[in-house]
Amino acid sequence: NLGVTYKFNFPVSKSSLGIKSSASYFLDFYIEKNGKKVDLEIDGKQHKYDDRKKSDSERDRLLTSNSFLVYRIDWKNPINDEAKKYMENEVEKFRIFLENQ
């Protein structure tokens, strides 16, 4: 809805981030803006678990140390007005963030 060009589930090889691994991270939404690489992550409830928080933190550290901007939004299923308003507000915050890049 923001008119932003993105790539969904975009692979970034861990080896390109300096890790000896043949695996990849998959970015929910990859956006290039003014030469900057933006990773928009929409986090479901599984991202609240301690082990996942730890792996997300390490992933974000690796990406940011390799010139990515990581932006996370906690997902709420927009099944009621409160959740819809929350998601609208979070998308607006992201729009402003992206506009300033």
Side-chain angles (χ1 to χ4, degrees):
N1 291 339
L2 298 178
V4 174
T5 301
Y6 63 87
K7 295 177 182 172
F8 179 70
N9 218 17
F10 182 76
V12 175
S13 68
K14 290 183 178 183
S15 63
S16 73
L17 302 175
I19 298 174
K20 280 188 167 185
S21 175
S22 60
S24 293
Y25 288 123
F26 290 87
L27 312 185
D28 287 352
F29 299 93
Y30 173 69
I31 301 161
E32 288 186 16
K33 174 82 186 260
N34 297 329
K36 295 183 181 176
K37 303 176 285 189
V38 179
D39 169 24
L40 171 60
E41 293 295 311
I42 309 297
D43 292 344
K45 63 183 176 184
Q46 70 275 19
H47 292 269
K48 299 287 185 202
Y49 298 116
D50 287 340
D51 61 331
R52 189 59 179 264
K53 284 181 185 179
K54 185 177 177 182
S55 66
D56 283 348
S57 179
E58 176 64 9
R59 176 187 182 278
D60 292 355
R61 185 190 67 73
L62 287 165
L63 288 168
T64 56
S65 67
N66 284 275
S67 302
F68 284 83
L69 300 171
V70 179
Y71 193 98
R72 290 183 174 274
I73 294 176
D74 289 333
W75 169 255
K76 291 191 193 274
N77 192 355
I79 58 173
N80 58 45
D81 288 341
E82 182 181 340
K84 286 178 188 175
K85 185 67 175 166
Y86 167 82
M87 290 306 295
E88 288 171 3
N89 287 337
E90 291 302 306
V91 169
E92 178 61 12
K93 287 180 200 175
F94 176 70
R95 185 194 65 74
I96 292 167
F97 167 82
L98 198 57
E99 193 173 89
N100 290 312
Q101 297 312 308

